């Protein structure tokens, strides 16, 4: 990029997390190309302060007033130019501000839905890591993106891979694409005896073999609910029928996902497992920029292997197809139940193998009416969380 080109202004939602800090690592490698406009976080005041000192955004937002007050005090003490925005809906404001070109949605959970929708309604370039927002928002999310001319770029590595393999002409997908194949690592318990799943601790579940990620997605990877959420995410991003989406375990995580065409030809996207690759791809698309990731060394590469997911060890995986075929809104119920169950597991209130029971029991208890608005979705999310909390209480260890 030449010196005279205006930098792209960027808001990073969930800046202190794994995806947020990897995003800033890519940005750091391209001085002059990106200008950080705003950053948000929930609890890590000092981490956000350090990011404000380095990237000097115009605004910073914390999820609670107490954390915002702490940050504002420290920003003042450090004489930084950043303003801590404390207005109601401050996260939505920095996601939709007219001065912003691109928004990285890297908040974890359904909490990211409203800010991502605000960015979509403002027609932004939306880099979506926050898969739960799409799992909850479903059709309504995609309609909002389309109606307001937003550009939705997937950051989840599997969906970035599929995005890169699909023809750029979206209107040709129906006639050319047969199916998509999501690869999965299988997580840390791929070979563990299913009879011992009850004893798994949060520390064991968060020790992913290939990635250092936030705690919620780490547990989701261990149960393979992460892949279930990704099947739903793929259904909406790529407008595929549930039966056009397959999952295969590929422990090395070199192939990030594949597209199969009508003639049985398959295109795959490969690389070292490093989230800075899909982040750089989303930031620069359709251009390509340095991500900081190591190059794949084929001479050093061991075999690439594939296997089916064991239904006994990973009973949650099939819930994605089940939820997609059920009434609209069911995927929001599944997501809420899973967020509550994972949280209870991380707080040692629920056994690992009962996360699935909470999800099942919540799905059994709630039959959603068709959500017609964000308010409907948030109410459904709330209702499902209450049902899931009750299930956790029944199943608590
Ligand atoms: P982390 O837990 O590492 O980070 C989450 C970020 O969101 C933090 O900045 C956190 O703030 C903030 N946050 C948490 N809760 C809230 C809330 N209620 N309101 C506002 N902000 C909040 O998660 P990851 O970076 O691992 O994941 C982020 C998203 O990206 C998830 O949806 C995940 O599924 C997806 N993803 C992640 C991948 C990865 O490799 N990590 C890969 C593919 C997708 P604070 O830390 O200050 O409390
Ligand atoms: Mg993924």
């Amino acid at each position: 990029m030449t010196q005279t080109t205006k930098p792209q202004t960027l808001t990073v939602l969930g800046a202190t997390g794994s995806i947020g800090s990897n995003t800033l690592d890519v940005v750091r490698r391209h001085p002059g190309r990106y200008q950080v406009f705003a950053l948000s976080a929930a609890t890590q005041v000092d981490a956000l302060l350090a990011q404000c000192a380095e990237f000097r955004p115009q605004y910073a937002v914390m999820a609670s007033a107490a954390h915002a007050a702490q940050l504002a005090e420290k920003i003042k003490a450090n004489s930084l130019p950043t303003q801590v925005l404390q207005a109601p809906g401050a996260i939505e404001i920095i996601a939709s501000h007219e001065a912003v070109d691109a928004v990285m949605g890297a908040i974890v959970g359904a909490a990211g839905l409203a800010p991502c929708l605000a960015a979509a309604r403002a027609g932004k370039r939306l880099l979506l890591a926050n898969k739960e927002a799409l799992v909850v928002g479903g059709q309504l999310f995609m309609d909002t993106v389309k109606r307001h001319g937003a550009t939705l770029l997937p950051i989840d590595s599997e969906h970035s891979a599929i995005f890169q393999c699909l023809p750029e002409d979206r209107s040709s997908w129906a006639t050319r694409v047969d199916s998509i194949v999501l690869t999965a690592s299988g997580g840390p318990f791929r070979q563990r005896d299913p009879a011992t799943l009850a004893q798994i601790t949060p520390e064991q579940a968060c020790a992913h073999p290939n990635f250092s990620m936030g705690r919620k997605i780490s547990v989701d990877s261990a149960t393979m609910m992460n892949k279930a959420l990704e099947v739903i995410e793929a259904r909406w991003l790529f407008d595929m029928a549930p039966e056009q989406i397959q999952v295969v375990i590929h422990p090395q995580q070199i192939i990030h996902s594949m597209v199969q065409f009508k003639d049985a030809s398959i295109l795959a996207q490969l690389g070292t497992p490093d989230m800075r690759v899909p982040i750089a791809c989303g930031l620069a698309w359709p251009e390509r920029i340095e991500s900081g990731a190591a190059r794949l060394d084929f001479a050093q590469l061991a075999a690439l292997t594939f296997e089916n997911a064991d239904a006994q060890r990973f009973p949650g995986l099939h819930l994605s197809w089940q939820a997609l075929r059920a009434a609209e809104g069911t995927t929001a119920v599944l997501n809420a139940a899973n967020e509550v169950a994972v949280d209870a597991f991380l707080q040692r209130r629920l056994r690992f193998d009962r996360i699935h029971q909470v999800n099942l029991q919540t799905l059994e208890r709630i039959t959603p009416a068709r959500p017609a608005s964000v308010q409907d979705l948030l109410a459904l999310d709330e209702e499902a969380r209450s049902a899931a909390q009750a299930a956790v209480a029944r199943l608590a260890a």
Side-chain angles (χ1 to χ4, degrees):
M1 185 169 273
T2 62
Q3 291 297 314
T4 51
T5 312
K6 202 169 147 279
Q8 195 179 122
T9 50
L10 180 68
T11 284
V12 183
L13 305 174
T16 49
S18 162
I19 295 291
S21 49
N22 273 305
T23 301
L24 292 172
D25 184 74
V26 177
V27 165
R28 185 184 288 125
R29 290 164 194 278
H30 301 278
R33 183 172 181 125
Y34 302 100
Q35 185 188 327
V36 177
F37 175 77
L39 297 172
S40 91
T43 58
Q44 298 191 67
V45 174
D46 288 337
L48 194 61
L49 177 72
Q51 292 177 342
C52 288
E54 181 179 356
F55 294 97
R56 303 195 156 247
Q58 196 160 329
Y59 296 113
V61 173
M62 298 295 301
S64 77
H67 288 108
Q70 285 176 31
L71 181 67
E73 203 171 292
K74 294 187 180 204
I75 286 208
K76 198 171 163 207
N78 286 274
S79 307
L80 295 175
T82 304
Q83 184 186 338
V84 180
L85 206 59
Q86 293 199 50
I91 302 188
E92 285 79 2
I93 293 173
I94 59 166
S96 58
H97 196 286
E98 60 178 8
V100 173
D101 299 319
V103 175
M104 167 58 78
I107 289 173
V108 58
L113 176 66
C116 285
L117 282 175
R121 271 195 299 273
K124 302 298 181 198
R125 181 179 171 101
L126 175 57
L127 314 181
L128 188 73
N130 182 199
K131 65 192 84 182
E132 297 92 345
L134 191 49
V135 169
V136 175
Q139 187 68 58
L140 197 124
F141 193 112
M142 296 308 291
D143 288 349
T144 307
V145 166
K146 202 170 171 189
R147 189 168 335 118
H148 298 277
T151 304
L152 185 57
L153 292 162
I155 299 301
D156 213 345
S157 57
E158 296 77 2
H159 305 75
S160 173
I162 292 161
F163 171 76
Q164 292 174 67
C165 293
L166 280 169
E168 284 198 26
D169 172 14
R170 197 179 173 111
S171 66
S172 74
W173 293 355
T175 53
R176 294 160 82 181
V177 177
D178 174 73
S179 56
I180 58 186
V181 185
L182 295 174
T183 52
S185 72
F189 309 132
R190 182 172 60 89
Q191 292 171 318
R192 188 170 170 133
D193 177 358
T196 66
L197 293 178
Q199 287 98 50
I200 287 167
T201 64
E203 291 71 27
Q204 290 168 332
C206 289
H208 191 273
N210 302 334
F211 277 121
S212 164
M213 310 183 287
R215 281 160 70 78
K216 197 266 177 177
I217 187 175
S218 297
V219 177
D220 284 346
S221 297
T223 57
M224 279 193 84
M225 273 307 293
N226 180 50
K227 213 47 57 179
L229 298 176
E230 290 183 0
V231 168
I232 298 167
E233 186 186 9
R235 184 263 171 274
W236 293 115
L237 280 173
F238 307 118
D239 198 18
M240 295 284 152
E243 52 277 10
Q244 283 178 288
I245 307 167
Q246 304 166 40
V247 170
V248 65
I249 291 185
H250 167 48
Q252 298 81 17
Q253 286 195 285
I254 298 298
I255 295 180
H256 300 312
S257 278
M258 304 175 251
V259 174
Q260 176 152 257
F261 292 85
K262 297 280 187 195
D263 54 9
S265 168
I266 294 176
L267 290 189
Q269 187 262 344
L270 286 72
T272 45
D274 187 325
M275 284 308 295
R276 291 175 299 178
V277 177
I279 289 169
C281 179
L283 277 169
W285 188 263
E287 293 175 25
R288 296 281 188 166
I289 57 171
E290 174 60 46
S291 65
R295 264 58 183 157
L296 201 53
D297 181 348
F298 286 97
Q300 294 292 316
L301 202 58
L304 300 183
T305 61
F306 303 90
E307 55 198 71
N308 285 328
D310 172 349
Q312 201 193 345
R313 196 177 279 111
F314 301 116
L317 180 60
H318 76 276
L319 291 180
S320 53
W321 289 281
Q322 193 180 310
L324 281 172
R325 291 188 178 109
E328 204 180 323
T330 305
T331 59
V333 174
L334 175 60
N335 178 71
N338 186 55
E339 284 194 37
V340 168
V342 170
D343 194 48
F345 166 68
L346 286 171
Q347 292 178 26
R348 301 176 206 275
R349 291 189 287 116
L350 186 73
R351 270 173 30 191
F352 180 83
D353 58 329
R354 291 189 174 161
I355 293 173
H356 177 61
Q357 295 306 320
V358 171
N359 293 344
L360 268 187
Q361 292 187 14
T362 309
L363 284 172
E364 277 163 12
R365 277 181 166 71
I366 296 185
T367 311
R370 193 179 162 273
S373 64
V374 194
Q375 288 70 29
D376 288 354
L377 283 171
L378 295 177
L380 182 58
D381 176 74
E382 204 53 53
E383 186 190 355
R385 277 170 203 269
S386 301
Q389 290 293 6
V392 168
R394 284 193 300 274
L395 293 160

